[in-house]
PDB file of all heavy atoms in Angstrom:
ATOM      1  N   ALA D   1      87.841  90.060 104.013  1.00 92.00           N
ATOM      2  CA  ALA D   1      88.018  91.350 104.689  1.00 92.00           C
ATOM      3  C   ALA D   1      87.968  92.528 103.738  1.00 92.00           C
ATOM      4  O   ALA D   1      87.273  93.519 103.996  1.00 92.00           O
ATOM      5  CB  ALA D   1      89.338  91.356 105.471  1.00 92.00           C
ATOM      6  N   GLU D   2      88.686  92.453 102.644  1.00 94.00           N
ATOM      7  CA  GLU D   2      88.766  93.617 101.759  1.00 94.00           C
ATOM      8  C   GLU D   2      87.385  94.012 101.240  1.00 94.00           C
ATOM      9  O   GLU D   2      86.984  95.177 101.325  1.00 94.00           O
ATOM     10  CB  GLU D   2      89.719  93.381 100.601  1.00 94.00           C
ATOM     11  CG  GLU D   2      89.883  94.636  99.755  1.00 94.00           C
ATOM     12  CD  GLU D   2      90.959  94.516  98.702  1.00 94.00           C
ATOM     13  OE1 GLU D   2      91.689  93.503  98.661  1.00 94.00           O
ATOM     14  OE2 GLU D   2      91.067  95.455  97.911  1.00 94.00           O
ATOM     15  N   ALA D   3      86.635  93.062 100.716  1.00 94.00           N
ATOM     16  CA  ALA D   3      85.311  93.374 100.167  1.00 94.00           C
ATOM     17  C   ALA D   3      84.359  93.836 101.257  1.00 94.00           C
ATOM     18  O   ALA D   3      83.614  94.813 101.078  1.00 94.00           O
ATOM     19  CB  ALA D   3      84.740  92.154  99.454  1.00 94.00           C
ATOM     20  N   THR D   4      84.370  93.154 102.391  1.00 94.00           N
ATOM     21  CA  THR D   4      83.478  93.507 103.494  1.00 94.00           C
ATOM     22  C   THR D   4      83.780  94.898 104.032  1.00 94.00           C
ATOM     23  O   THR D   4      82.873  95.724 104.199  1.00 94.00           O
ATOM     24  CB  THR D   4      83.611  92.476 104.637  1.00 94.00           C
ATOM     25  OG1 THR D   4      83.257  91.187 104.126  1.00 94.00           O
ATOM     26  CG2 THR D   4      82.718  92.819 105.802  1.00 94.00           C
ATOM     27  N   LEU D   5      85.047  95.165 104.299  1.00 96.00           N
ATOM     28  CA  LEU D   5      85.409  96.461 104.875  1.00 96.00           C
ATOM     29  C   LEU D   5      85.231  97.584 103.863  1.00 96.00           C
ATOM     30  O   LEU D   5      84.807  98.688 104.223  1.00 96.00           O
ATOM     31  CB  LEU D   5      86.837  96.418 105.408  1.00 96.00           C
ATOM     32  CG  LEU D   5      87.053  95.413 106.554  1.00 96.00           C
ATOM     33  CD1 LEU D   5      88.510  95.400 106.974  1.00 96.00           C
ATOM     34  CD2 LEU D   5      86.137  95.693 107.721  1.00 96.00           C
ATOM     35  N   ARG D   6      85.502  97.333 102.606  1.00 96.00           N
ATOM     36  CA  ARG D   6      85.289  98.362 101.578  1.00 96.00           C
ATOM     37  C   ARG D   6      83.801  98.727 101.513  1.00 96.00           C
ATOM     38  O   ARG D   6      83.432  99.894 101.375  1.00 96.00           O
ATOM     39  CB  ARG D   6      85.804  97.890 100.228  1.00 96.00           C
ATOM     40  CG  ARG D   6      85.917  99.034  99.229  1.00 96.00           C
ATOM     41  CD  ARG D   6      86.754  98.693  98.016  1.00 96.00           C
ATOM     42  NE  ARG D   6      88.074  98.169  98.267  1.00 96.00           N
ATOM     43  CZ  ARG D   6      89.131  98.876  98.648  1.00 96.00           C
ATOM     44  NH1 ARG D   6      89.005 100.168  98.867  1.00 96.00           N
ATOM     45  NH2 ARG D   6      90.300  98.303  98.827  1.00 96.00           N
ATOM     46  N   ARG D   7      82.935  97.729 101.622  1.00 96.00           N
ATOM     47  CA  ARG D   7      81.488  97.994 101.640  1.00 96.00           C
ATOM     48  C   ARG D   7      81.118  98.843 102.854  1.00 96.00           C
ATOM     49  O   ARG D   7      80.348  99.796 102.749  1.00 96.00           O
ATOM     50  CB  ARG D   7      80.709  96.681 101.639  1.00 96.00           C
ATOM     51  CG  ARG D   7      79.202  96.887 101.505  1.00 96.00           C
ATOM     52  CD  ARG D   7      78.410  95.624 101.747  1.00 96.00           C
ATOM     53  NE  ARG D   7      78.536  95.281 103.151  1.00 96.00           N
ATOM     54  CZ  ARG D   7      78.830  94.082 103.615  1.00 96.00           C
ATOM     55  NH1 ARG D   7      79.036  93.082 102.811  1.00 96.00           N
ATOM     56  NH2 ARG D   7      78.912  93.859 104.917  1.00 96.00           N
ATOM     57  N   ASP D   8      81.698  98.519 104.010  1.00 96.00           N
ATOM     58  CA  ASP D   8      81.444  99.321 105.212  1.00 96.00           C
ATOM     59  C   ASP D   8      81.900 100.762 105.007  1.00 96.00           C
ATOM     60  O   ASP D   8      81.207 101.710 105.397  1.00 96.00           O
ATOM     61  CB  ASP D   8      82.172  98.729 106.422  1.00 96.00           C
ATOM     62  CG  ASP D   8      81.634  97.377 106.845  1.00 96.00           C
ATOM     63  OD1 ASP D   8      80.519  97.014 106.421  1.00 96.00           O
ATOM     64  OD2 ASP D   8      82.338  96.688 107.603  1.00 96.00           O
ATOM     65  N   HIS D   9      83.063 100.952 104.392  1.00 97.00           N
ATOM     66  CA  HIS D   9      83.592 102.295 104.137  1.00 97.00           C
ATOM     67  C   HIS D   9      82.669 103.056 103.177  1.00 97.00           C
ATOM     68  O   HIS D   9      82.400 104.244 103.388  1.00 97.00           O
ATOM     69  CB  HIS D   9      84.992 102.222 103.540  1.00 97.00           C
ATOM     70  CG  HIS D   9      85.993 101.599 104.464  1.00 97.00           C
ATOM     71  ND1 HIS D   9      87.322 101.482 104.122  1.00 97.00           N
ATOM     72  CD2 HIS D   9      85.882 101.050 105.699  1.00 97.00           C
ATOM     73  CE1 HIS D   9      87.979 100.894 105.106  1.00 97.00           C
ATOM     74  NE2 HIS D   9      87.112 100.619 106.074  1.00 97.00           N
ATOM     75  N   ASP D  10      82.188 102.369 102.137  1.00 97.00           N
ATOM     76  CA  ASP D  10      81.280 103.007 101.177  1.00 97.00           C
ATOM     77  C   ASP D  10      79.980 103.430 101.856  1.00 97.00           C
ATOM     78  O   ASP D  10      79.463 104.522 101.589  1.00 97.00           O
ATOM     79  CB  ASP D  10      80.986 102.072 100.005  1.00 97.00           C
ATOM     80  CG  ASP D  10      82.194 101.840  99.107  1.00 97.00           C
ATOM     81  OD1 ASP D  10      83.183 102.610  99.202  1.00 97.00           O
ATOM     82  OD2 ASP D  10      82.153 100.877  98.313  1.00 97.00           O
ATOM     83  N   ASN D  11      79.452 102.580 102.722  1.00 97.00           N
ATOM     84  CA  ASN D  11      78.217 102.923 103.438  1.00 97.00           C
ATOM     85  C   ASN D  11      78.435 104.114 104.362  1.00 97.00           C
ATOM     86  O   ASN D  11      77.593 105.019 104.424  1.00 97.00           O
ATOM     87  CB  ASN D  11      77.701 101.719 104.236  1.00 97.00           C
ATOM     88  CG  ASN D  11      77.055 100.682 103.339  1.00 97.00           C
ATOM     89  OD1 ASN D  11      76.570 100.985 102.257  1.00 97.00           O
ATOM     90  ND2 ASN D  11      77.056  99.440 103.795  1.00 97.00           N
ATOM     91  N   ALA D  12      79.545 104.135 105.057  1.00 98.00           N
ATOM     92  CA  ALA D  12      79.845 105.258 105.951  1.00 98.00           C
ATOM     93  C   ALA D  12      79.964 106.542 105.139  1.00 98.00           C
ATOM     94  O   ALA D  12      79.448 107.596 105.538  1.00 98.00           O
ATOM     95  CB  ALA D  12      81.134 104.989 106.725  1.00 98.00           C
ATOM     96  N   ARG D  13      80.631 106.473 104.008  1.00 98.00           N
ATOM     97  CA  ARG D  13      80.795 107.647 103.148  1.00 98.00           C
ATOM     98  C   ARG D  13      79.440 108.144 102.644  1.00 98.00           C
ATOM     99  O   ARG D  13      79.178 109.343 102.596  1.00 98.00           O
ATOM    100  CB  ARG D  13      81.717 107.275 101.976  1.00 98.00           C
ATOM    101  CG  ARG D  13      82.006 108.397 101.051  1.00 98.00           C
ATOM    102  CD  ARG D  13      83.071 109.239 101.641  1.00 98.00           C
ATOM    103  NE  ARG D  13      83.369 110.358 100.782  1.00 98.00           N
ATOM    104  CZ  ARG D  13      84.257 111.261 101.079  1.00 98.00           C
ATOM    105  NH1 ARG D  13      84.954 111.151 102.186  1.00 98.00           N
ATOM    106  NH2 ARG D  13      84.469 112.265 100.302  1.00 98.00           N
ATOM    107  N   HIS D  14      78.573 107.219 102.258  1.00 97.00           N
ATOM    108  CA  HIS D  14      77.234 107.581 101.779  1.00 97.00           C
ATOM    109  C   HIS D  14      76.447 108.305 102.879  1.00 97.00           C
ATOM    110  O   HIS D  14      75.781 109.306 102.611  1.00 97.00           O
ATOM    111  CB  HIS D  14      76.493 106.325 101.305  1.00 97.00           C
ATOM    112  CG  HIS D  14      75.122 106.588 100.807  1.00 97.00           C
ATOM    113  ND1 HIS D  14      74.859 107.278  99.637  1.00 97.00           N
ATOM    114  CD2 HIS D  14      73.914 106.268 101.325  1.00 97.00           C
ATOM    115  CE1 HIS D  14      73.557 107.365  99.469  1.00 97.00           C
ATOM    116  NE2 HIS D  14      72.959 106.758 100.478  1.00 97.00           N
ATOM    117  N   PHE D  15      76.536 107.808 104.081  1.00 97.00           N
ATOM    118  CA  PHE D  15      75.859 108.444 105.225  1.00 97.00           C
ATOM    119  C   PHE D  15      76.409 109.855 105.441  1.00 97.00           C
ATOM    120  O   PHE D  15      75.654 110.815 105.597  1.00 97.00           O
ATOM    121  CB  PHE D  15      76.063 107.588 106.480  1.00 97.00           C
ATOM    122  CG  PHE D  15      75.387 108.121 107.712  1.00 97.00           C
ATOM    123  CD1 PHE D  15      74.021 107.990 107.878  1.00 97.00           C
ATOM    124  CD2 PHE D  15      76.124 108.742 108.713  1.00 97.00           C
ATOM    125  CE1 PHE D  15      73.392 108.467 109.028  1.00 97.00           C
ATOM    126  CE2 PHE D  15      75.510 109.217 109.856  1.00 97.00           C
ATOM    127  CZ  PHE D  15      74.139 109.079 110.010  1.00 97.00           C
ATOM    128  N   ALA D  16      77.725 109.987 105.418  1.00 97.00           N
ATOM    129  CA  ALA D  16      78.353 111.296 105.627  1.00 97.00           C
ATOM    130  C   ALA D  16      77.964 112.277 104.524  1.00 97.00           C
ATOM    131  O   ALA D  16      77.674 113.451 104.796  1.00 97.00           O
ATOM    132  CB  ALA D  16      79.872 111.135 105.693  1.00 97.00           C
ATOM    133  N   GLU D  17      77.939 111.806 103.289  1.00 97.00           N
ATOM    134  CA  GLU D  17      77.540 112.668 102.182  1.00 97.00           C
ATOM    135  C   GLU D  17      76.088 113.104 102.336  1.00 97.00           C
ATOM    136  O   GLU D  17      75.729 114.241 102.016  1.00 97.00           O
ATOM    137  CB  GLU D  17      77.754 111.958 100.852  1.00 97.00           C
ATOM    138  CG  GLU D  17      79.220 111.817 100.493  1.00 97.00           C
ATOM    139  CD  GLU D  17      79.487 110.885  99.326  1.00 97.00           C
ATOM    140  OE1 GLU D  17      78.555 110.143  98.898  1.00 97.00           O
ATOM    141  OE2 GLU D  17      80.630 110.875  98.839  1.00 97.00           O
ATOM    142  N   GLY D  18      75.251 112.212 102.849  1.00 95.00           N
ATOM    143  CA  GLY D  18      73.852 112.559 103.105  1.00 95.00           C
ATOM    144  C   GLY D  18      73.719 113.659 104.137  1.00 95.00           C
ATOM    145  O   GLY D  18      72.880 114.558 104.004  1.00 95.00           O
ATOM    146  N   ILE D  19      74.550 113.605 105.162  1.00 94.00           N
ATOM    147  CA  ILE D  19      74.531 114.661 106.181  1.00 94.00           C
ATOM    148  C   ILE D  19      74.971 115.981 105.560  1.00 94.00           C
ATOM    149  O   ILE D  19      74.367 117.031 105.805  1.00 94.00           O
ATOM    150  CB  ILE D  19      75.421 114.283 107.384  1.00 94.00           C
ATOM    151  CG1 ILE D  19      74.819 113.095 108.116  1.00 94.00           C
ATOM    152  CG2 ILE D  19      75.579 115.477 108.326  1.00 94.00           C
ATOM    153  CD1 ILE D  19      75.701 112.521 109.200  1.00 94.00           C
ATOM    154  N   GLN D  20      76.006 115.931 104.743  1.00 94.00           N
ATOM    155  CA  GLN D  20      76.480 117.160 104.106  1.00 94.00           C
ATOM    156  C   GLN D  20      75.402 117.735 103.182  1.00 94.00           C
ATOM    157  O   GLN D  20      75.188 118.941 103.153  1.00 94.00           O
ATOM    158  CB  GLN D  20      77.767 116.908 103.333  1.00 94.00           C
ATOM    159  CG  GLN D  20      78.369 118.180 102.780  1.00 94.00           C
ATOM    160  CD  GLN D  20      79.738 117.967 102.183  1.00 94.00           C
ATOM    161  OE1 GLN D  20      80.118 116.853 101.865  1.00 94.00           O
ATOM    162  NE2 GLN D  20      80.477 119.028 102.035  1.00 94.00           N
ATOM    163  N   GLU D  21      74.697 116.882 102.452  1.00 94.00           N
ATOM    164  CA  GLU D  21      73.633 117.331 101.553  1.00 94.00           C
ATOM    165  C   GLU D  21      72.474 117.958 102.308  1.00 94.00           C
ATOM    166  O   GLU D  21      71.771 118.807 101.769  1.00 94.00           O
ATOM    167  CB  GLU D  21      73.135 116.164 100.698  1.00 94.00           C
ATOM    168  CG  GLU D  21      74.126 115.719  99.648  1.00 94.00           C
ATOM    169  CD  GLU D  21      73.751 114.393  99.005  1.00 94.00           C
ATOM    170  OE1 GLU D  21      72.613 113.908  99.221  1.00 94.00           O
ATOM    171  OE2 GLU D  21      74.607 113.837  98.296  1.00 94.00           O
ATOM    172  N   LEU D  22      72.269 117.533 103.555  1.00 90.00           N
ATOM    173  CA  LEU D  22      71.207 118.140 104.372  1.00 90.00           C
ATOM    174  C   LEU D  22      71.433 119.640 104.543  1.00 90.00           C
ATOM    175  O   LEU D  22      70.475 120.396 104.657  1.00 90.00           O
ATOM    176  CB  LEU D  22      71.173 117.500 105.768  1.00 90.00           C
ATOM    177  CG  LEU D  22      70.441 116.209 105.970  1.00 90.00           C
ATOM    178  CD1 LEU D  22      70.585 115.735 107.400  1.00 90.00           C
ATOM    179  CD2 LEU D  22      68.987 116.338 105.596  1.00 90.00           C
ATOM    180  N   ASN D  23      72.697 120.020 104.606  1.00 89.00           N
ATOM    181  CA  ASN D  23      73.066 121.416 104.827  1.00 89.00           C
ATOM    182  C   ASN D  23      72.308 121.977 106.034  1.00 89.00           C
ATOM    183  O   ASN D  23      71.779 123.084 106.002  1.00 89.00           O
ATOM    184  CB  ASN D  23      72.802 122.243 103.564  1.00 89.00           C
ATOM    185  CG  ASN D  23      73.601 123.512 103.551  1.00 89.00           C
ATOM    186  OD1 ASN D  23      74.626 123.619 104.213  1.00 89.00           O
ATOM    187  ND2 ASN D  23      73.124 124.494 102.813  1.00 89.00           N
ATOM    188  N   SER D  24      72.251 121.190 107.083  1.00 87.00           N
ATOM    189  CA  SER D  24      71.508 121.547 108.287  1.00 87.00           C
ATOM    190  C   SER D  24      72.349 122.421 109.212  1.00 87.00           C
ATOM    191  O   SER D  24      73.548 122.181 109.361  1.00 87.00           O
ATOM    192  CB  SER D  24      71.101 120.267 109.037  1.00 87.00           C
ATOM    193  OG  SER D  24      70.549 120.573 110.293  1.00 87.00           O
ATOM    194  N   PRO D  25      71.718 123.387 109.839  1.00 86.00           N
ATOM    195  CA  PRO D  25      72.457 124.172 110.834  1.00 86.00           C
ATOM    196  C   PRO D  25      72.692 123.386 112.128  1.00 86.00           C
ATOM    197  O   PRO D  25      73.403 123.848 113.008  1.00 86.00           O
ATOM    198  CB  PRO D  25      71.533 125.374 111.078  1.00 86.00           C
ATOM    199  CG  PRO D  25      70.170 124.866 110.752  1.00 86.00           C
ATOM    200  CD  PRO D  25      70.346 123.858 109.650  1.00 86.00           C
ATOM    201  N   LEU D  26      72.119 122.192 112.218  1.00 87.00           N
ATOM    202  CA  LEU D  26      72.196 121.404 113.441  1.00 87.00           C
ATOM    203  C   LEU D  26      73.335 120.393 113.464  1.00 87.00           C
ATOM    204  O   LEU D  26      73.835 120.043 114.528  1.00 87.00           O
ATOM    205  CB  LEU D  26      70.875 120.664 113.668  1.00 87.00           C
ATOM    206  CG  LEU D  26      69.635 121.555 113.738  1.00 87.00           C
ATOM    207  CD1 LEU D  26      68.391 120.700 113.818  1.00 87.00           C
ATOM    208  CD2 LEU D  26      69.726 122.499 114.914  1.00 87.00           C
ATOM    209  N   CYS D  27      73.732 119.891 112.287  1.00 90.00           N
ATOM    210  CA  CYS D  27      74.786 118.876 112.272  1.00 90.00           C
ATOM    211  C   CYS D  27      75.574 118.968 110.975  1.00 90.00           C
ATOM    212  O   CYS D  27      75.061 119.423 109.958  1.00 90.00           O
ATOM    213  CB  CYS D  27      74.212 117.478 112.466  1.00 90.00           C
ATOM    214  SG  CYS D  27      72.984 116.997 111.255  1.00 90.00           S
ATOM    215  N   SER D  28      76.816 118.525 111.049  1.00 92.00           N
ATOM    216  CA  SER D  28      77.683 118.547 109.868  1.00 92.00           C
ATOM    217  C   SER D  28      78.735 117.456 109.975  1.00 92.00           C
ATOM    218  O   SER D  28      78.953 116.886 111.047  1.00 92.00           O
ATOM    219  CB  SER D  28      78.351 119.915 109.722  1.00 92.00           C
ATOM    220  OG  SER D  28      79.226 120.133 110.816  1.00 92.00           O
ATOM    221  N   VAL D  29      79.378 117.200 108.852  1.00 96.00           N
ATOM    222  CA  VAL D  29      80.445 116.202 108.764  1.00 96.00           C
ATOM    223  C   VAL D  29      81.575 116.797 107.929  1.00 96.00           C
ATOM    224  O   VAL D  29      81.326 117.441 106.917  1.00 96.00           O
ATOM    225  CB  VAL D  29      79.939 114.907 108.094  1.00 96.00           C
ATOM    226  CG1 VAL D  29      81.078 113.970 107.789  1.00 96.00           C
ATOM    227  CG2 VAL D  29      78.915 114.220 108.954  1.00 96.00           C
ATOM    228  N   ASN D  30      82.788 116.553 108.362  1.00 96.00           N
ATOM    229  CA  ASN D  30      83.957 116.915 107.564  1.00 96.00           C
ATOM    230  C   ASN D  30      84.274 115.695 106.698  1.00 96.00           C
ATOM    231  O   ASN D  30      84.855 114.719 107.182  1.00 96.00           O
ATOM    232  CB  ASN D  30      85.131 117.279 108.474  1.00 96.00           C
ATOM    233  CG  ASN D  30      86.376 117.630 107.703  1.00 96.00           C
ATOM    234  OD1 ASN D  30      86.439 117.474 106.488  1.00 96.00           O
ATOM    235  ND2 ASN D  30      87.387 118.095 108.420  1.00 96.00           N
ATOM    236  N   LEU D  31      83.874 115.743 105.437  1.00 96.00           N
ATOM    237  CA  LEU D  31      84.055 114.583 104.554  1.00 96.00           C
ATOM    238  C   LEU D  31      85.514 114.162 104.410  1.00 96.00           C
ATOM    239  O   LEU D  31      85.797 112.987 104.191  1.00 96.00           O
ATOM    240  CB  LEU D  31      83.469 114.861 103.167  1.00 96.00           C
ATOM    241  CG  LEU D  31      81.946 114.805 103.073  1.00 96.00           C
ATOM    242  CD1 LEU D  31      81.499 115.135 101.656  1.00 96.00           C
ATOM    243  CD2 LEU D  31      81.419 113.443 103.485  1.00 96.00           C
ATOM    244  N   ALA D  32      86.435 115.087 104.562  1.00 96.00           N
ATOM    245  CA  ALA D  32      87.861 114.760 104.444  1.00 96.00           C
ATOM    246  C   ALA D  32      88.305 113.786 105.529  1.00 96.00           C
ATOM    247  O   ALA D  32      89.309 113.084 105.364  1.00 96.00           O
ATOM    248  CB  ALA D  32      88.703 116.027 104.494  1.00 96.00           C
ATOM    249  N   THR D  33      87.579 113.716 106.637  1.00 96.00           N
ATOM    250  CA  THR D  33      87.964 112.822 107.737  1.00 96.00           C
ATOM    251  C   THR D  33      87.292 111.456 107.654  1.00 96.00           C
ATOM    252  O   THR D  33      87.572 110.586 108.472  1.00 96.00           O
ATOM    253  CB  THR D  33      87.632 113.461 109.100  1.00 96.00           C
ATOM    254  OG1 THR D  33      86.209 113.605 109.222  1.00 96.00           O
ATOM    255  CG2 THR D  33      88.310 114.816 109.266  1.00 96.00           C
ATOM    256  N   VAL D  34      86.405 111.263 106.692  1.00 97.00           N
ATOM    257  CA  VAL D  34      85.702 109.977 106.559  1.00 97.00           C
ATOM    258  C   VAL D  34      86.530 109.091 105.639  1.00 97.00           C
ATOM    259  O   VAL D  34      86.395 109.128 104.420  1.00 97.00           O
ATOM    260  CB  VAL D  34      84.272 110.172 106.017  1.00 97.00           C
ATOM    261  CG1 VAL D  34      83.555 108.827 105.914  1.00 97.00           C
ATOM    262  CG2 VAL D  34      83.489 111.120 106.911  1.00 97.00           C
ATOM    263  N   GLU D  35      87.403 108.303 106.248  1.00 96.00           N
ATOM    264  CA  GLU D  35      88.312 107.451 105.478  1.00 96.00           C
ATOM    265  C   GLU D  35      87.984 105.969 105.613  1.00 96.00           C
ATOM    266  O   GLU D  35      88.373 105.177 104.762  1.00 96.00           O
ATOM    267  CB  GLU D  35      89.746 107.682 105.946  1.00 96.00           C
ATOM    268  CG  GLU D  35      90.220 109.101 105.735  1.00 96.00           C
ATOM    269  CD  GLU D  35      91.612 109.311 106.266  1.00 96.00           C
ATOM    270  OE1 GLU D  35      91.780 109.315 107.510  1.00 96.00           O
ATOM    271  OE2 GLU D  35      92.521 109.453 105.434  1.00 96.00           O
ATOM    272  N   THR D  36      87.326 105.600 106.682  1.00 97.00           N
ATOM    273  CA  THR D  36      87.039 104.184 106.926  1.00 97.00           C
ATOM    274  C   THR D  36      85.552 104.021 107.229  1.00 97.00           C
ATOM    275  O   THR D  36      84.718 104.618 106.570  1.00 97.00           O
ATOM    276  CB  THR D  36      87.896 103.643 108.085  1.00 97.00           C
ATOM    277  OG1 THR D  36      87.557 104.340 109.289  1.00 97.00           O
ATOM    278  CG2 THR D  36      89.387 103.775 107.803  1.00 97.00           C
ATOM    279  N   ASN D  37      85.238 103.208 108.214  1.00 97.00           N
ATOM    280  CA  ASN D  37      83.861 102.895 108.581  1.00 97.00           C
ATOM    281  C   ASN D  37      83.346 103.769 109.726  1.00 97.00           C
ATOM    282  O   ASN D  37      82.303 103.479 110.294  1.00 97.00           O
ATOM    283  CB  ASN D  37      83.757 101.428 108.975  1.00 97.00           C
ATOM    284  CG  ASN D  37      84.586 101.090 110.199  1.00 97.00           C
ATOM    285  OD1 ASN D  37      85.671 101.636 110.408  1.00 97.00           O
ATOM    286  ND2 ASN D  37      84.082 100.186 111.021  1.00 97.00           N
ATOM    287  N   ILE D  38      84.058 104.833 110.051  1.00 97.00           N
ATOM    288  CA  ILE D  38      83.680 105.697 111.170  1.00 97.00           C
ATOM    289  C   ILE D  38      83.334 107.087 110.657  1.00 97.00           C
ATOM    290  O   ILE D  38      84.083 107.669 109.871  1.00 97.00           O
ATOM    291  CB  ILE D  38      84.822 105.784 112.203  1.00 97.00           C
ATOM    292  CG1 ILE D  38      85.114 104.395 112.774  1.00 97.00           C
ATOM    293  CG2 ILE D  38      84.472 106.771 113.313  1.00 97.00           C
ATOM    294  CD1 ILE D  38      86.330 104.340 113.683  1.00 97.00           C
ATOM    295  N   VAL D  39      82.196 107.603 111.121  1.00 98.00           N
ATOM    296  CA  VAL D  39      81.768 108.965 110.781  1.00 98.00           C
ATOM    297  C   VAL D  39      81.554 109.720 112.084  1.00 98.00           C
ATOM    298  O   VAL D  39      80.782 109.283 112.940  1.00 98.00           O
ATOM    299  CB  VAL D  39      80.463 108.965 109.957  1.00 98.00           C
ATOM    300  CG1 VAL D  39      79.984 110.394 109.686  1.00 98.00           C
ATOM    301  CG2 VAL D  39      80.637 108.192 108.658  1.00 98.00           C
ATOM    302  N   MET D  40      82.254 110.841 112.210  1.00 97.00           N
ATOM    303  CA  MET D  40      82.085 111.720 113.367  1.00 97.00           C
ATOM    304  C   MET D  40      81.188 112.875 112.928  1.00 97.00           C
ATOM    305  O   MET D  40      81.530 113.617 112.000  1.00 97.00           O
ATOM    306  CB  MET D  40      83.436 112.236 113.854  1.00 97.00           C
ATOM    307  CG  MET D  40      84.421 111.131 114.216  1.00 97.00           C
ATOM    308  SD  MET D  40      83.850 109.999 115.486  1.00 97.00           S
ATOM    309  CE  MET D  40      84.225 110.929 116.946  1.00 97.00           C
ATOM    310  N   VAL D  41      80.044 113.006 113.591  1.00 96.00           N
ATOM    311  CA  VAL D  41      79.059 114.027 113.238  1.00 96.00           C
ATOM    312  C   VAL D  41      79.150 115.153 114.257  1.00 96.00           C
ATOM    313  O   VAL D  41      78.985 114.922 115.458  1.00 96.00           O
ATOM    314  CB  VAL D  41      77.629 113.447 113.228  1.00 96.00           C
ATOM    315  CG1 VAL D  41      76.615 114.503 112.813  1.00 96.00           C
ATOM    316  CG2 VAL D  41      77.552 112.217 112.320  1.00 96.00           C
ATOM    317  N   SER D  42      79.407 116.358 113.783  1.00 94.00           N
ATOM    318  CA  SER D  42      79.470 117.533 114.663  1.00 94.00           C
ATOM    319  C   SER D  42      78.057 118.049 114.901  1.00 94.00           C
ATOM    320  O   SER D  42      77.280 118.198 113.959  1.00 94.00           O
ATOM    321  CB  SER D  42      80.309 118.644 114.021  1.00 94.00           C
ATOM    322  OG  SER D  42      81.635 118.210 113.861  1.00 94.00           O
ATOM    323  N   ILE D  43      77.763 118.311 116.164  1.00 91.00           N
ATOM    324  CA  ILE D  43      76.443 118.774 116.561  1.00 91.00           C
ATOM    325  C   ILE D  43      76.537 120.240 116.964  1.00 91.00           C
ATOM    326  O   ILE D  43      77.387 120.610 117.763  1.00 91.00           O
ATOM    327  CB  ILE D  43      75.912 117.943 117.761  1.00 91.00           C
ATOM    328  CG1 ILE D  43      75.970 116.448 117.449  1.00 91.00           C
ATOM    329  CG2 ILE D  43      74.519 118.386 118.159  1.00 91.00           C
ATOM    330  CD1 ILE D  43      75.194 116.027 116.237  1.00 91.00           C
TER     331      ILE D  43
END
């Protein structure tokens, strides 16, 4: 569980960071809220 879930968390964080790097006026992510395997994307 620990290794598997940590990998999931890292992947979610990478995705969220990618959205932030886009700096798009269409979508954003609050990186402070990305703590686990869930990313909420604001549209």
Side-chain angles (χ1 to χ4, degrees):
E2 185 172 354
T4 300
L5 297 178
R6 194 165 307 284
R7 186 190 68 228
D8 293 344
H9 297 182
D10 291 345
N11 285 335
R13 182 81 181 179
H14 180 69
F15 181 76
E17 289 169 348
I19 293 172
Q20 186 172 19
E21 289 168 11
L22 277 178
N23 201 23
S24 172
L26 303 174
C27 58
S28 65
V29 170
N30 179 352
L31 284 178
T33 65
V34 181
E35 298 177 289
T36 63
N37 63 325
I38 299 173
V39 176
M40 303 302 278
V41 182
S42 297
I43 307 302

